Amino acid sequence: DTGVSQDPRHKITKRGQNVTFRCDPISEHNRLYWYRQTLGQGPEFLTYFQNEAQLEKSRLLSDRFSAERPKGSFSTLEIQRTEQGDSAMYLCASSPGQGRDEKLFFGSGTQLSVL
Amino acid sequence: GNSVTQMEGPVTLSEEAFLTINCTYTATGYPSLFWYVQYPGEGLQLLLKATKADDKGSNKGFEATYRKETTSFHLEKGSVQVSDSAVYFCALNGAGSYQLTFGKGTKLSVIP
C-alpha cells in the first residue's frame, strides 16, 4: 500500500492554458474523489467515481473541467482555458467502496498556480 | 444545502492543556460526521467519525459526540501534545451522497 499518489506536485501555468493532473489511488479502491482547496478554506467536492463511472459532479465543476477514470484505476482531471481563479490545491482521495461512511485516503495534492 | 461551521483559528495551547474545537452543522436528513486532520507536510487523514445521533467517535485521545439536538460535533482532547499541532477539519456526509462537506479548518499549535 503506497498510498494515493498525485502528479505533479506543483504546476505553474499561464492563463488560458490547459492543464492535466493525474491521480493513482490505492490499488483495489473502487471509489475515487476529486476535491479543490483554496488557502484558508476546507476542501470542496468536485466529483466522484465508482470504478470507471462518474456518479456525482459538483456545480463547481464547470464545463472547463473534465475528469476521467478510464479503466477504473488512475484518474485524470483536466482544466481547459485556465483562469486565475482556478489557482488552488487539487486533492484526490480514494476509498475501498464498502459503505457511505468509510474512511477516505487523501493524496498530498497538486498545487496549481495560474499566472 | 449542507454546511459546516468551525471555530476560527488559529488556536495556541500549552502542552497538556485541554482542547475544544467547536463544530456545528446544517444538513437535511441524518448526516454522518467526521473530523479529519492535516499534519504539516502530510495529506488529510481521518481522525474519527460518528454516524448517528449520540454516537461518540474517539481516536488518539480525541473525542467527539454527535449531538443532533444542538447540531454539533465538537472535538475535545484532555491533554494536548506538541505532536497534535495540525489543522483540524470538521466534515459531514449528507444522506444519499458520497461527497464530504468540510468546514474551513482550525489550525492548532501546541507549544512546550
Side-chain angles (χ1 to χ4, degrees):
Chain A
D1 180 357
T2 58
V4 176
S5 175
Q6 292 189 245
D7 184 68
R9 292 294 303 274
H10 304 274
K11 178 69 177 179
I12 300 173
T13 191
K14 293 182 178 179
R15 189 172 45 144
Q17 298 294 304
N18 299 343
V19 294
T20 300
F21 311 139
R22 177 181 171 119
C23 171
D24 287 273
I26 293 171
S27 60
E28 299 182 357
H29 275 194
N30 295 328
R31 295 180 185 155
L32 187 146
Y33 312 77
W34 285 99
Y35 284 80
R36 180 173 68 184
Q37 186 176 17
T38 54
L39 199 61
Q41 302 295 316
E44 295 174 300
F45 172 82
L46 293 178
T47 191
Y48 148 66
F49 290 85
Q50 174 84 29
N51 298 312
E52 68 275 9
Q54 189 174 19
L55 297 184
E56 284 188 60
K57 289 173 61 174
S58 165
R59 284 171 294 176
L60 290 174
L61 213 65
S62 77
D63 57 4
R64 295 186 299 106
F65 288 69
S66 62
E68 295 182 341
R69 193 182 184 198
K71 296 182 179 180
S73 57
F74 73 92
S75 175
T76 57
L77 178 67
E78 181 183 18
I79 308 174
Q80 296 183 325
R81 305 181 303 281
T82 53
E83 302 173 356
Q84 288 186 327
D86 297 331
S87 296
M89 177 75 81
Y90 289 83
L91 299 171
C92 178
S94 69
S95 65
Q98 296 171 346
R100 191 172 65 85
D101 305 318
E102 63 185 358
K103 173 181 177 181
L104 267 59
F105 295 78
F106 282 85
S108 296
T110 294
Q111 181 67 54
L112 173 65
S113 298
V114 181
L115 305 178
Chain B
N2 298 332
S3 67
V4 174
T5 303
Q6 289 182 235
M7 63 184 285
E8 295 284 330
V11 174
T12 302
L13 295 174
S14 297
E15 207 165 20
E16 298 184 2
F18 184 85
L19 169 71
T20 299
I21 300 178
N22 290 337
C23 171
T24 57
Y25 67 89
T26 301
T28 54
Y30 301 96
S32 297
L33 302 173
F34 306 82
W35 278 99
Y36 276 80
V37 59
Q38 188 167 31
Y39 297 103
E42 299 184 16
L44 278 162
Q45 53 187 277
L46 179 66
L47 180 60
L48 55 84
K49 71 177 183 182
T51 59
K52 61 183 187 295
D54 299 324
D55 267 2
K56 178 185 284 187
S58 61
N59 186 24
K60 300 182 180 180
F62 290 88
E63 293 183 341
T65 301
Y66 188 147
R67 299 289 188 199
K68 185 171 180 293
E69 63 276 13
T70 55
T71 61
S72 65
F73 193 53
H74 304 321
L75 183 68
E76 296 182 335
K77 186 174 185 182
S79 177
V80 293
Q81 305 301 311
V82 172
S83 57
D84 294 326
S85 298
V87 182
Y88 292 82
F89 293 91
C90 185
L92 70 82
N93 187 338
S97 172
Y98 289 89
Q99 62 175 277
L100 287 173
T101 300
F102 285 86
K104 292 185 177 183
T106 303
K107 183 176 182 180
L108 170 67
S109 297
V110 181
I111 55 176

